[in-house]
């Protein structure tokens, strides 16, 4: 058993850490206050990220990505998300589903995303269907070479700012399977508009939007992959999406522990640093244990994916890592806030912001309950994954 991080990844991780400290963290106060970054800052982050090969890190090199394996992506994600999500999200990315692009779509959509020239959003969730994503009601019908989409999407991250949306719609309702198709719908397409924008508990700097499709006409050339295979395309990225969500939880946990340690050592009450009190030490010890366990699970799930372990095993490990890391982050944020006392409740502290941001990790990319269902189903069918 070898737990060593390969040298080249350890070096790259250091580069990303420096990037996070110099290019991302300094903009956190601005994002919290203004709910977004100035355009020139976003552009600079994009340019710097591209310059050090941080853009679209999981994408193959032939489309301009960094071609990192899953473990490499986990290490980079962990470091990037030491910064608040609203700033870290400015680093260009391209979702794995775009690998289903045909040649022409690659040039129009995938490559510009990889370069940071186009922004995308992923539009699956609807007002009536969240966890039960296969039950979507947005419909698309084909006539004379044009698909017409009608329906609504909800809670779509970056939905208001994206240049195009990857939209999932019901196209073959009579089939048992292969009922859903994925479409690439560009901003400005007649019949496609942004509806309600939500104010959220955390993650200042990027918004969730409602997307409205009202007789929205999309050419056949904008179908992503085969008609009817949209859900299969979306499911293809589930494991890596969950592993990356787990990785997003590791960065904040590590930074919270650093902050908690520093605060406990310098805050004096009853004549002694509070770090001298066992009540505080126990909270710190529990935080460290949570982070260590979450790291091991996340790295192991990534390593299993890279080794090509059976997809169902990777799936179970990814769900377990996402479940554990997201819940561990909640516990760590709560304890560190307690260590900070009243100061931790103040918006100018990282701990207050991290506490609010942490809550969503248990909801998106499949709620904790859905992860438990997946893990339990696998256990009942195949026994414990190793
Ligand atoms: C900030 C934010 C950003 C988001 N970004 C995107 C995005 O970019 N694109 C996108 O498509 N979606 C996005 N979503 C949607 C997100 O994926 C859904 O919110 C999530 O899947 C849960 O769906 P729901 O909110 O409809 O909850 P529901 O599915 O209605 O669930 C409500 C509760 O019931 C539980 N539950 C549901 N089914 C079961 C069951 N079978 N057994 C036990 N318990 C169950 C859930 O775990 C939950 O506790 C975002 C959501 C948020 C809040």
């Amino acid at each position: 058993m070898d737990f060593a991080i390969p040298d080249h990844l350890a070096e790259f991780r250091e580069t990303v850490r420096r990037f996070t400290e110099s290019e991302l963290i300094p903009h956190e106060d601005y994002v919290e206050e203004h709910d977004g970054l100035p355009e020139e800052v976003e552009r600079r982050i994009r340019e710097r990220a591209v310059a050090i090969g941080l853009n679209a890190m999981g994408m193959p090199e032939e489309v301009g990505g960094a071609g990192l394996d899953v473990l490499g992506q986990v290490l980079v994600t962990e470091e990037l998300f030491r910064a608040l999500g609203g700033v870290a999200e400015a680093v260009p990315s391209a979702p794995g589903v775009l690998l289903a692009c045909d040649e022409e779509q690659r040039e129009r959509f995938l490559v510009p995303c990889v370069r940071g020239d186009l922004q995308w959003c992923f539009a699956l969730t609807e007002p009536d269907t969240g966890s039960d994503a296969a039950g979507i009601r947005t419909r698309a019908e084909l006539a004379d070479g044009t698909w017409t989409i009608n329906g609504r999407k909800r809670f779509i991250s970056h939905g208001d700012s994206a240049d195009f949306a990857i939209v999932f719609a019901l196209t073959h309702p009579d089939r048992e399977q292969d009922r859903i198709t994925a479409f690439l719908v560009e901003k400005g397409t007649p019949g496609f508009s942004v509806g309600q924008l939500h104010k959220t508990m955390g993650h200042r700097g990027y918004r969730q939007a409602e997307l409205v499709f009202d007789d929205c006409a999309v050419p056949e050339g904008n179908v992503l992959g085969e008609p009817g295979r949209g859900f299969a395309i979306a499911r293809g990225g589930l494991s890596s999406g969950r592993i990356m969500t787990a990785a997003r939880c590791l960065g904040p946990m590590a930074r919270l522990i650093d902050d908690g340690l520093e605060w406990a050592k310098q805050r004096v009450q009853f004549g002694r640093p509070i770090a001298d009190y066992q009540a505080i030490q126990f909270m710190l010890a529990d935080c460290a244990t949570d982070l260590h366990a979450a790291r091991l699970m996340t790295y192991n799930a990534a390593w299993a994916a890279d080794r090509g372990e059976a997809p169902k095993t990777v799936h179970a490990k990814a769900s377990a890592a996402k479940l554990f890391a997201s819940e561990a982050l909640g516990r760590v944020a709560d304890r560190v806030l307690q260590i900070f006392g009243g100061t931790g409740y103040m918006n100018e502290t990282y701990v207050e912001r991290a506490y609010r941001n942490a809550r969503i990790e248990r909801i998106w990319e499949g709620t904790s309950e859905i992860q438990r269902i997946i893990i339990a189903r696998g256990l009942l069918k195949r026994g414990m994954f190793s």
Side-chain angles (χ1 to χ4, degrees), residues 138-216:
T138 293
R139 292 283 293 265
E141 283 168 12
L142 178 65
D144 304 326
T146 299
W147 287 92
T148 303
I149 307 180
N150 279 291
R152 272 166 194 269
K153 297 290 175 180
R154 190 168 74 146
F155 301 159
I156 308 306
S157 298
H158 308 292
D160 57 329
S161 55
D163 298 291
F164 71 96
I166 304 160
V167 180
F168 294 83
L170 186 60
T171 48
H172 300 83
D174 302 332
R175 290 188 192 167
E176 286 263 305
Q177 286 185 334
D178 294 342
R179 305 164 77 230
I180 290 170
T181 300
F183 296 91
L184 301 164
V185 185
E186 287 156 292
K187 195 177 189 169
T189 305
F192 171 31
S193 58
V194 174
Q196 187 188 358
L197 279 178
H198 294 277
K199 286 206 161 110
T200 56
M201 179 176 173
H203 282 299
R204 302 277 172 272
Y206 71 97
R207 289 164 291 279
Q208 278 65 51
E210 183 186 33
L211 302 184
V212 182
F213 300 90
D214 189 6
D215 283 336
C216 172

Side-chain angles (χ1 to χ4, degrees), residues 205-279:
Y206 71 97
R207 289 164 291 279
Q208 278 65 51
E210 183 186 33
L211 302 184
V212 182
F213 300 90
D214 189 6
D215 283 336
C216 172
V218 175
E220 271 187 292
N222 283 36
V223 168
L224 179 64
E226 293 294 311
R229 300 288 296 156
F231 209 58
I233 292 172
R235 288 179 68 87
L238 274 186
S239 289
S240 59
R242 286 173 182 162
I243 295 171
M244 289 319 141
T245 307
R248 282 172 68 113
C249 298
L250 302 177
M253 270 194 263
R255 186 168 162 196
L256 281 162
I257 293 171
D258 288 348
D259 283 9
L261 280 170
E262 203 180 303
W263 178 262
K265 286 184 199 163
Q266 62 88 23
R267 175 70 176 167
V268 174
Q269 287 297 285
F270 301 101
R272 291 164 67 179
I274 59 169
D276 283 0
Y277 301 121
Q278 204 174 43

Side-chain angles (χ1 to χ4, degrees), residues 120-133 153-159 166 168 198 200-203 206-209 242 359-360 362-371 373 377:
W120 54 276
C121 67
F122 183 91
L124 177 62
T125 303
E126 301 185 354
D128 294 324
T129 53
S131 302
D132 181 16
K153 297 290 175 180
R154 190 168 74 146
F155 301 159
I156 308 306
S157 298
H158 308 292
I166 304 160
F168 294 83
H198 294 277
T200 56
M201 179 176 173
H203 282 299
Y206 71 97
R207 289 164 291 279
Q208 278 65 51
R242 286 173 182 162
R359 194 60 185 83
I360 188 58
R362 286 157 60 189
I363 295 172
W364 58 19
E365 285 287 338
T367 63
S368 284
E369 292 71 33
I370 296 300
Q371 305 308 332
I373 290 171
R377 275 191 194 144

